[in-house]
Amino acid sequence: MGLLGTVVAYSEEVYPLVKLKLAADRIRRQIPAEPHWAFSYSMLQKVSRSFALVIQQLGPQLRNAVCVFYLVLRALDTVEDDTSIPSDIKVPILQNFYRHIYDREWHFSCGTKDYKVLMDKLHLVSIAFLELDRSYQKAIEDITKRMGAGMAKFICKEVETTDDYDEYCHYVAGLVGLGLSKLFHASGSEELAPDNLSNSMGLFLQKTNIIRDYLEDINEIPKSRMFWPRQIWSKYANKLEDFKYVENSTKAVQCLNDLVTNALIHAEDCLQYMSALKDLSIFRFAAIPQIMAIGTLALCYNNVEVFRGVVKMRRGLTAKVIDQTYSMSDVYGAFYEFSSMLKSKIDNSDPNASLTHKRVDAIQKACISSGLLNKRSLHVSGSKFHYVTLLTMVVFLLVAMLIPFLLHK
């Protein structure tokens, strides 16, 4: 589909997309003047543009804490991901990383591209960390310590069983959920969420990423490091890399569907977690990534393209989710629509079809029983093309082009 065809087919996404572009430009112009905060926020935009946008939903103090929290854990993850670092060097760094964040001088060169810059200048993130309120520091230190220990454990251990899979995802993402809940509570805006719900928030996102990133991870240089559990993939192939080859497409997709079905078990916990949030800014910060996750799972399910390239949501739909997610009715609506999309793709000959149906039905039942589906403003399905939408689109495109010109006059 060409550009014009895409615009016509998804005309309702153009306005949010232009708003997102303007918001991104505004964020770049609002980077703080202090060198350590300037580095932290500019680096956040480079290592995760989507997170840099979502974090803007938060108030200033909590936003600073979450920014530092994200960068510290991203740095920790960079050490773990760098397969060129020998284990006898990597493991002690992971285990002691929570101490290094208090050191204004410490840094460790590893990673590539923007991640290498982050590691080379990590002392600037440490300076920002040391300016946070002590309650935020304690929460970040605790999660960094626990995550580093968990990552170290899996450096020399393969993900064999589904229990291993859940444990690994807990260390690298479930703890992020726990940490964010601690930061929300420390801000005084939220009650402290139950650990099991916070954990599910992280696992739902992490499992989605692990599923989506199969091809990127299997082709990692100098060596691949995969987290698909052997207990699942060994039912469909002798070697995990076999899924790359066209002749194994049927088994590859069956394994993929098995993993998506495994991830769906966390969706109901995520809905329960989000329904308890009271602060709108925190709610939007938490809800937007979860909607993106259920949407990505719907796209990946029964989709052989996961083994051929990159599968992700359209930028316009992403912009629409960011622009229009404001209430639990929007969340329930998005989860219902995306789960319906996934349900329509279930092949009853798939080995896990009945279990997938059961998981999807449970999600949809939770959405329906909320009584909020008809009150939502966010609709992720396409809508009919309207000339008013086209006119709005043209006006905002012109504004988007003119603003940079006017700012530089």
Side-chain angles (χ1 to χ4, degrees), residues 133-193:
D133 184 86
R134 181 58 186 154
S135 61
Y136 290 139
Q137 289 178 359
K138 288 172 64 177
I140 293 171
E141 177 190 347
D142 174 57
I143 297 302
T144 304
K145 180 179 181 179
R146 293 162 68 182
M147 185 179 291
M151 287 178 168
K153 178 178 178 178
F154 276 89
I155 291 299
C156 302
K157 178 182 178 180
E158 295 292 326
V159 178
E160 297 284 346
T161 67
T162 53
D163 285 343
D164 291 340
Y165 185 42
D166 284 346
E167 184 182 11
Y168 173 76
C169 290
H170 165 72
Y171 286 133
V172 301
L175 286 173
V176 179
L178 268 67
L180 287 172
S181 293
K182 286 175 179 284
L183 294 179
F184 299 159
H185 180 62
S187 74
S189 299
E190 301 289 349
E191 298 296 326
L192 186 60

Side-chain angles (χ1 to χ4, degrees), residues 239-301:
K239 293 184 292 184
L240 191 51
E241 56 265 31
D242 289 348
F243 295 139
K244 290 194 298 182
Y245 306 116
V246 176
E247 61 267 26
N248 299 320
S249 294
T250 299
K251 290 295 185 181
V253 169
Q254 289 176 351
C255 181
L256 169 67
N257 293 346
D258 200 337
L259 283 164
V260 171
T261 302
N262 173 278
L264 292 176
I265 199 169
H266 304 292
E268 291 174 84
D269 277 354
C270 294
L271 290 172
Q272 186 177 343
Y273 179 100
M274 289 182 283
S275 68
L277 295 174
K278 295 176 289 188
D279 183 274
L280 178 61
S281 64
I282 291 174
F283 170 78
R284 279 174 49 76
F285 172 79
I288 290 168
Q290 299 297 328
I291 293 176
M292 301 286 290
I294 187 73
T296 300
L297 289 176
L299 289 173
C300 288
Y301 184 82

Side-chain angles (χ1 to χ4, degrees), residues 331-346:
V331 173
Y332 285 127
F335 268 64
Y336 188 87
E337 288 189 60
F338 279 128
S339 60
S340 295
M341 181 193 304
L342 192 156
K343 190 174 186 176
S344 71
K345 297 164 68 177
I346 299 175

Side-chain angles (χ1 to χ4, degrees), residues 48-263:
S48 180
R49 284 179 296 177
S50 59
F51 191 83
L53 285 166
V54 174
I55 200 177
Q56 296 303 315
Q57 313 303 324
L58 303 174
Q61 290 188 346
L62 181 57
R63 182 169 64 238
N64 284 347
V66 173
C67 174
V68 169
F69 183 49
Y70 183 90
L71 291 176
V72 166
L73 299 188
R74 176 57 68 184
L76 186 64
D77 188 60
T78 299
V79 175
E80 185 212 20
D81 282 348
D82 192 330
T83 53
S84 68
I85 305 173
S87 296
D88 60 335
I89 295 176
K90 180 182 291 189
V91 169
I93 293 174
L94 294 173
Q95 292 172 331
N96 291 290
F97 209 87
Y98 74 99
R99 294 192 177 103
H100 297 318
I101 60 177
Y102 285 94
D103 187 345
R104 295 172 182 263
E105 306 296 327
W106 190 88
H107 60 92
F108 180 76
S109 186
C110 65
T112 60
K113 301 178 181 177
D114 290 326
Y115 300 101
K116 186 179 187 307
V117 176
L118 172 62
M119 295 304 300
D120 287 342
K121 298 185 177 181
L122 193 64
H123 59 284
L124 292 173
V125 179
S126 294
I127 294 172
F129 168 78
L130 291 169
E131 288 188 0
L132 298 176
D133 184 86
R134 181 58 186 154
S135 61
Y136 290 139
Q137 289 178 359
K138 288 172 64 177
I140 293 171
E141 177 190 347
D142 174 57
I143 297 302
T144 304
K145 180 179 181 179
R146 293 162 68 182
M147 185 179 291
M151 287 178 168
K153 178 178 178 178
F154 276 89
I155 291 299
C156 302
K157 178 182 178 180
E158 295 292 326
V159 178
E160 297 284 346
T161 67
T162 53
D163 285 343
D164 291 340
Y165 185 42
D166 284 346
E167 184 182 11
Y168 173 76
C169 290
H170 165 72
Y171 286 133
V172 301
L175 286 173
V176 179
L178 268 67
L180 287 172
S181 293
K182 286 175 179 284
L183 294 179
F184 299 159
H185 180 62
S187 74
S189 299
E190 301 289 349
E191 298 296 326
L192 186 60
D195 283 357
N196 65 308
L197 299 185
S198 300
N199 187 59
S200 283
M201 289 284 283
L203 264 63
F204 194 56
L205 299 181
Q206 183 66 20
K207 289 185 176 182
T208 299
N209 291 340
I210 287 174
I211 292 166
R212 181 199 61 198
D213 293 342
Y214 167 86
L215 193 63
E216 178 184 340
D217 291 343
I218 203 75
N219 291 329
E220 181 75 24
I221 295 173
K223 61 180 180 179
S224 61
R225 187 148 188 261
M226 294 295 295
F227 299 99
W228 286 27
R230 182 184 295 272
Q231 183 179 341
I232 290 179
W233 66 255
S234 63
K235 293 186 288 184
Y236 308 97
N238 293 321
K239 293 184 292 184
L240 191 51
E241 56 265 31
D242 289 348
F243 295 139
K244 290 194 298 182
Y245 306 116
V246 176
E247 61 267 26
N248 299 320
S249 294
T250 299
K251 290 295 185 181
V253 169
Q254 289 176 351
C255 181
L256 169 67
N257 293 346
D258 200 337
L259 283 164
V260 171
T261 302
N262 173 278

